[in-house]
Amino acid sequence: MDRFLVQGGRPLAGEVTVACAKNAVLPVLAASLLTRETLRVPRAPALVDVRTMLDVLGSLGAETRVEEDDSVSVRNAGEPGTRADWEYVRRMRGSVCVLGPLLARTGRAEVSLPGGCVFGVRPIDVHLKGFEALGASVRIEHGYVVAEAPRGGLRGAEVFLGTPFGSSVTGTMNVMMAATLARGRTVIQGAACEPEVEDLGRCLRSMGARIEGLGSPCLEIDGEEELSGAEHEVIPDRIEAGTFVLAGVLTGSRVRVVGCRPDHLAVLIDRLWQAGCPVEHGEDWIESQPCGLGHRPRPTDVTTQPYPGFPTDLQAQWMALMTLADGVSVITERIYPDRYMHLAELARMGARVRRQGATAIVQGVESLSSAPVTASDLRASAALVLAGLVARGETDVHRVYHIDRGYQRIESRLSALGAGIRRVAE
Ligand code: EPU
């Protein structure tokens, strides 16, 4: 297990290019199960999670190919297998995205339940409700979801997919994918509006699916007999972009994040202005403005919400910024009320944070000091690296395999900006 040594207090400067969105590329690759032709994703991000998805697809019989520039092709010429094993699913919750396409293409899917995760229970009841609405029978057996289409295949239906915490991103994706091969029209109400859902919809359209309402909470899908192959350019990763912007802001440096979609990060840009940390942006770039190391942001509250609200996947990184604010800020988690694993680790670095239920109260301090800290999940790890960039001394971030799941070679990209960060094999 590798760790990062992060030398704090170095200003950053320069440009960093954002990779394709992890949470869009995973379902797009799963959509390859809907066709016997090839689906190609140019320049997929070189992430552990992408390799895991290719392993899952390979275990189902797909031919997978990764080119020199990381472009990925997947082809399921024959009938795919129907069972996605615990061995793969436990490595990554995103593997649950194979359920919908497998069920639609083969009439049967057996996919291991993903289990709990460090930031709480993450149910998939909404996914299953959607499949049942399409006529499937669904049961849980020996830790697996076993879903079977009725004789004659899935049939279109109306279904509401909201949850008490907003709409389910992968739930919407799963049901949307299943509906593309169902007979007749499916109407999904309460669909998630995240850009990753829209991106998957665009990919399905280029495979021949008929989908209306992308980006809205109501999707209408007219099922097709079969879909074709396609080449699909995945959207830039808004969470990776936001993380790099915050690296620039925290260090008071000018960092230009290029190849991103500022319109997907309107809420972050707004909050940063509110915090007295201006960022400029153009059509496909965002740039933090230099104000010098030690510049303290104004305390600024955020509440995580479904898109276009503040993303839960940037909550930990925002907290890293607020630990240095000139006053008290309040962070509220409305998506995953227990997603606060980074809190105790930030406290080890001198942050003053208290938690009350789904809310964290952050009393900004003048500076953080380095400490050995342990990464517990992907975004929490990113927050610890960000904190390390400004802490006094050398922060030792353990278990960085979490960060490798979602950020492509983050240490070399931060080093290229001037950060003092290196990977050490443990
Ligand atoms: N929920 C239910 N029932 C369901 C599904 C979800 O009650 O059947 C609840 C969840 O407990 C949560 C809320 O609905 O409170 C939203 O969960 P959602 O299903 O949208 O999450 P997800 O699809 O499992 C994706 C991303 C997460 C990201 C969330 C929220 C992927 C592979 N994962 O998860 O990304 O935090 O949406 O935006 O797309 C990450 O990248 O670090 C990450 C965790």
Side-chain angles (χ1 to χ4, degrees), residues 162-246:
T163 85
F165 300 96
S167 300
S168 168
V169 173
T170 50
T172 304
M173 291 167 160
N174 243 334
V175 179
M176 174 165 73
M177 286 192 277
T180 59
L181 292 182
R183 269 182 299 127
R185 170 169 286 203
T186 297
V187 179
I188 302 178
Q189 299 281 7
C193 302
E194 270 65 10
E196 294 76 16
V197 178
E198 187 175 351
D199 191 60
L200 171 66
R202 285 195 307 111
C203 171
L204 293 168
R205 272 188 184 162
S206 48
M207 295 167 72
R210 280 185 295 155
I211 305 176
E212 293 303 325
L214 286 174
S216 84
C218 178
L219 299 176
E220 290 181 6
I221 303 142
D222 286 296
E224 291 289 337
E225 286 274 313
E226 54 181 36
L227 298 185
S228 62
E231 168 147 326
H232 178 69
E233 298 260 0
V234 169
I235 50 168
D237 197 311
R238 62 194 167 107
I239 306 302
E240 189 184 80
T243 304
F244 281 122
V245 170
L246 285 166

Side-chain angles (χ1 to χ4, degrees), residues 55-394:
D55 287 347
V56 174
L57 295 170
S59 78
L60 293 166
E63 276 171 50
T64 63
R65 195 164 98 92
V66 181
E67 295 163 36
E68 211 150 278
D69 65 350
D70 296 321
S71 299
V72 170
S73 306
V74 187
R75 180 155 187 251
N76 290 279
E79 178 95 338
T82 56
R83 185 177 164 93
D85 216 74
W86 160 242
E87 179 49 35
Y88 298 105
V89 180
R90 78 191 169 99
R91 276 155 51 191
M92 181 185 75
R93 290 188 57 86
S95 349
V96 81
C97 289
V98 301
L99 248 173
L102 263 189
L103 175 64
R105 168 103 180 262
T106 69
R108 183 182 169 88
E110 274 180 72
V111 177
S112 171
L113 273 170
C117 78
V118 283
F119 49 85
V121 181
R122 289 175 65 187
I124 58 162
D125 53 297
V126 160
H127 305 226
L128 308 186
K129 173 182 166 188
F131 301 143
E132 280 175 338
L134 300 180
S137 73
V138 180
R139 57 185 192 278
I140 307 294
E141 236 174 50
H142 309 299
Y144 282 72
V145 176
V146 182
E148 283 168 320
R151 203 182 291 254
L154 299 175
R155 42 179 196 267
E158 266 190 44
V159 60
F160 176 79
L161 292 186
T163 85
F165 300 96
S167 300
S168 168
V169 173
T170 50
T172 304
M173 291 167 160
N174 243 334
V175 179
M176 174 165 73
M177 286 192 277
T180 59
L181 292 182
R183 269 182 299 127
R185 170 169 286 203
T186 297
V187 179
I188 302 178
Q189 299 281 7
C193 302
E194 270 65 10
E196 294 76 16
V197 178
E198 187 175 351
D199 191 60
L200 171 66
R202 285 195 307 111
C203 171
L204 293 168
R205 272 188 184 162
S206 48
M207 295 167 72
R210 280 185 295 155
I211 305 176
E212 293 303 325
L214 286 174
S216 84
C218 178
L219 299 176
E220 290 181 6
I221 303 142
D222 286 296
E224 291 289 337
E225 286 274 313
E226 54 181 36
L227 298 185
S228 62
E231 168 147 326
H232 178 69
E233 298 260 0
V234 169
I235 50 168
D237 197 311
R238 62 194 167 107
I239 306 302
E240 189 184 80
T243 304
F244 281 122
V245 170
L246 285 166
V249 167
L250 258 161
T251 54
S253 311
R254 188 192 297 279
V255 169
R256 186 181 273 235
V257 180
V258 299
C260 65
R261 288 275 305 260
D263 57 323
H264 289 167
L265 282 166
V267 67
L268 177 68
I269 294 170
D270 175 76
R271 294 288 81 192
L272 283 170
W273 276 90
Q274 190 73 32
C277 307
V279 288
E280 299 297 332
H281 69 273
E283 207 177 310
D284 66 349
W285 56 267
I286 307 177
E287 187 181 82
S288 58
Q289 300 303 299
C291 44
L293 271 160
H295 168 83
R296 297 182 69 184
R298 277 199 292 268
T300 305
D301 301 347
V302 298
T303 298
T304 66
Q305 284 172 327
Y307 185 82
F310 196 91
T312 173
D313 292 343
L314 281 174
Q315 178 258 111
Q317 301 91 314
W318 184 262
M319 187 183 288
L321 178 67
M322 284 301 115
T323 60
L324 293 169
D326 191 9
V328 177
S329 62
V330 177
I331 296 178
T332 305
E333 241 311 331
R334 286 264 162 79
I335 310 289
Y336 298 117
D338 291 322
R339 194 175 199 176
Y340 282 123
M341 308 306 291
H342 42 287
L343 206 142
E345 300 304 301
L346 288 171
R348 292 170 56 72
M349 299 176 73
R352 289 178 58 193
V353 192
R354 281 183 297 126
R355 183 181 160 189
Q356 277 180 359
T359 295
I361 299 142
V362 188
Q363 166 73 62
V365 293
E366 266 186 34
S367 65
L368 298 174
S369 67
S370 60
V373 288
T374 305
S376 54
D377 71 78
L378 171 53
R379 310 303 173 186
S381 325
L384 297 176
V385 169
L386 291 184
L389 294 177
V390 282
R392 279 174 286 116
E394 191 173 65

